[in-house]
Amino acid sequence: MRIDILTVVPELLESPFNHSILKRAQDKGLAEIKVHNLREYSTSKHNRVDDYAFGGCAGMVMQIEPIERAINMLKAERHYDEVIFTSPDGETFNQPMANALSMTENLIILCGHYKGIDYRIREHLITKEISIGDYVLTGGELAAAIISDAIVRLIPGAISDEQSALSDSFQDNLLAPPVYTRPADYNGWKVPDVLLSGNHKAIAEWEHEQSVKRTKQLRPDLLK
Ligand code: SAH
């Protein structure tokens, strides 16, 4: 799949996609993530992308033209399944949304900045608005990185053991069971015996029990 991210601060996205699983997914050709600097689509003298808000409210607003030009240029090259805008008033991002988006081919993610973007962009060009939670960030870049990360790790082959993505928290509406590694006894802190038993059926049952127990304790809302 391909994700095109539109931003006025591309520097903010230099690191998240260049390491670990996201980098490997790109190296393996499973995902292509392109970051575009919206200033390059400005037609104004100083590559302006924002202007004062009508109505006199404080803060700058991102202009329509550079964004529309960038989106049109991308759309001329391929079909996009969604044109996403990151926004605190969007639908709250969750695992089912990540699952659905991971099955698409091409996505555009537009990052807002300053006071936000001219509302007409949202009315005419955006197909989906996503919030990463009820708090306000300075820009949509970190939200775009989070959304892309959650999507790309779900592409078959991105994580070495496919099971491991399926057994994560929120798949099946259950939180993940605890995990342990060596040493089995760290100064008296012991790993549960069942995990050392070699009995795969007993281990699977224990893990499921733990998942249910932890979900009841920590996120009973998921069990409804
Ligand atoms: N004035 C806006 C907030 C602007 S914050 C409001 O009150 O709704 C600047 C940009 O950061 C937003 O346009 C959006 O793209 C991004 N952003 C901020 N918080 C976010 C969140 N919780 N989820 C996704 N994007 C967010």
Side-chain angles (χ1 to χ4, degrees):
M1 77 176 298
R2 175 177 165 125
I3 303 176
D4 289 275
I5 302 178
L6 308 180
T7 167
V8 289
V9 201
E11 297 80 8
L12 276 173
L13 289 166
E14 272 165 18
S15 177
F17 305 128
N18 287 323
H19 306 279
S20 183
I21 291 169
L22 263 70
K23 175 165 194 311
R24 259 179 283 141
Q26 292 172 87
D27 291 346
K28 286 191 212 164
L30 299 172
E32 214 181 330
I33 302 173
K34 303 275 180 206
V35 178
H36 306 269
N37 187 346
L38 280 169
R39 287 181 205 285
E40 289 169 14
Y41 296 88
S42 168
T43 50
S44 80
K45 225 180 12 202
H46 299 290
N47 297 334
R48 265 193 97 142
V49 288
D50 60 328
D51 210 332
Y52 294 98
F54 279 127
C57 84
M60 304 300 279
V61 175
M62 285 168 66
Q63 292 175 296
I64 300 176
E65 196 188 12
I67 293 171
E68 193 198 20
R69 290 183 71 213
I71 291 176
N72 284 348
M73 192 241 8
L74 290 168
K75 280 185 175 170
E77 286 168 22
R78 64 192 68 75
H79 167 78
Y80 282 90
D81 301 278
E82 300 281 6
V83 182
I84 297 168
F85 175 52
T86 57
S87 187
D89 55 11
E91 197 182 338
T92 308
F93 193 55
N94 58 16
Q95 195 63 36
M97 225 191 279
N99 290 344
L101 290 172
S102 78
M103 285 185 274
T104 62
E105 276 299 309
N106 301 306
L107 297 173
I108 292 174
I109 305 181
L110 170 63
C111 307
H113 224 85
Y114 317 115
K115 198 72 197 156
I117 63 175
D118 189 309
Y119 198 76
R120 289 167 289 181
I121 299 165
R122 298 173 65 171
E123 289 175 320
H124 297 288
L125 297 172
I126 298 299
T127 62
K128 193 173 186 64
E129 300 188 325
I130 301 180
S131 164
I132 59 161
D134 287 350
Y135 40 80
V136 178
L137 306 165
T138 56
E141 289 73 19
L142 297 178
I146 285 170
I147 294 164
S148 304
D149 183 305
I151 294 172
V152 169
R153 70 190 291 283
L154 290 170
I155 301 172
I159 293 182
S160 44
D161 176 4
E162 260 179 58
Q163 267 310 109
S164 99
L166 296 177
S167 62
D168 282 330
S169 292
F170 306 115
Q171 304 289 9
D172 299 338
N173 278 342
L174 288 176
L175 301 180
V179 291
Y180 303 85
T181 186
R182 283 184 288 189
D185 184 342
Y186 181 83
N187 297 337
W189 298 350
K190 290 197 177 131
V191 167
D193 286 335
V194 61
L195 294 179
L196 310 174
S197 69
N199 180 339
H200 296 293
K201 189 164 169 273
I203 292 172
E205 277 168 16
W206 178 86
E207 286 178 339
H208 184 71
E209 276 165 26
Q210 290 292 317
S211 281
V212 173
K213 187 174 142 201
R214 285 171 48 75
T215 310
K216 271 186 192 153
Q217 261 169 13
L218 302 170
R219 291 293 305 275
D221 56 300
L222 293 175
L223 294 171
K224 275 181 202 133

